[in-house]
Amino acid sequence: MRTRTTSLVALAAASSIALAGCSAGGGESAVPEEEQLVSGLTGTIGSKDFSEQYILAHLTSQLLDAYGADTDVNTQVVGSANVRTALESDEFLGYWEYTGTSWITYNGNTTPVVGAEAQFEATKEADAANGIAWIDPAPLNNTYAFAIRADKAEELGVSSLSDIAGLPVEEQTFCIESEFSTRDDGFPGLVDAYGIDVPNDNVALLDTGVIYTATAEGTDCNFGEVFATDGRIAALDLVVLEDDKSFFPVYQAAFTLKQETLDEHPGIAEVVAMFADKLTDAEMQRLNALADVDGEDPEDIARDWLDEQGLI
């Protein structure tokens, strides 16, 4: 998954952050001086290289600036490991991370913790030993999922992953990424957990973006590997099947930063809490669709949303 990979560009990319591709913060607070929770805070809010992360980074930067900070945004670093390195080396003030990514990729655990709250607490504790703090998370869970056309789901009578195994073999067709095809928390583990037994000809390996359109067209597959908060799900009239055996790890999003930074500026947690709990799967899908389907600028999406919420 785009948020999970470790075979990324060289770590040198993390040290070449520079100013190219950074959005400058306004540095102008929208609240009275006595209410500026993060006055004096400066730095760069980081981001992984896809729309959801761009939006989250701009939301954070803009609201921090409204409360007295002077931050900018960098969306140019490619790969989860490089973004994490940028945080550890103080090139990023903070960025939004996913619990499953940190638990599995950075902390070396092979078995996910069942349940969003339990996974968050385990990840938070593991990263505390690395000097990294996790602010209370958003509800959104950008995990792996399988989607199907809404009309096809109704025709086949499927609503959960368990339903797939009972279908005729010719209807059990899948579109997946090449990486997902080999991961323990990907297709091999999925078919084992759900008792799915299909020939290789039933599985098409496609690029991420192509999977959405192929699933919507229904020519290559009925079931496409997607990411649960992707805006193309609703836009293409796809429905996500329930992971009724809780096979996929939880990838709940939360703002992460060094503990020493949070100790120095505890108001960061208060500012992030002003909007984090509003970011449900459905709301993040809607915002992502504005970027990935409608082509809007993530910086503008963030500003408009904060305005709609009455936060700036």
Side-chain angles (χ1 to χ4, degrees), residues 281-304:
D281 282 0
E283 187 65 355
M284 202 70 240
Q285 277 188 18
R286 186 180 73 83
L287 295 178
N288 287 337
L290 294 176
D292 292 328
V293 180
D294 298 340
E296 295 187 26
D297 188 316
E299 185 173 4
D300 294 336
I301 293 169
R303 183 176 297 106
D304 290 345

Side-chain angles (χ1 to χ4, degrees), residues 96-112:
W96 283 77
E97 187 54 273
Y98 302 95
T99 51
T101 303
S102 181
W103 182 251
I104 296 170
T105 303
Y106 309 143
N107 287 288
N109 298 289
T110 56
T111 304

Side-chain angles (χ1 to χ4, degrees), residues 170-187:
E170 61 269 20
E171 297 287 7
Q172 298 183 46
T173 53
F174 301 86
C175 291
I176 63 176
E177 296 174 294
S178 59
E179 180 192 346
F180 185 80
S181 70
T182 60
R183 294 177 63 104
D184 290 339
D185 62 345
F187 200 66

Side-chain angles (χ1 to χ4, degrees), residues 96 99 120 134-140 252-255 276-277:
W96 283 77
T99 51
F120 176 78
W134 286 66
I135 291 175
D136 288 348
L140 72 92
Q252 191 173 17
F255 189 67
D277 64 352

Side-chain angles (χ1 to χ4, degrees), residues 173-175 201-204 206 210 213-215 217-223:
T173 53
F174 301 86
C175 291
D201 289 346
N202 282 34
V203 182
L206 303 174
V210 178
T213 54
T215 305
E217 292 169 357
T219 51
D220 292 301
C221 60
N222 284 326
F223 304 99

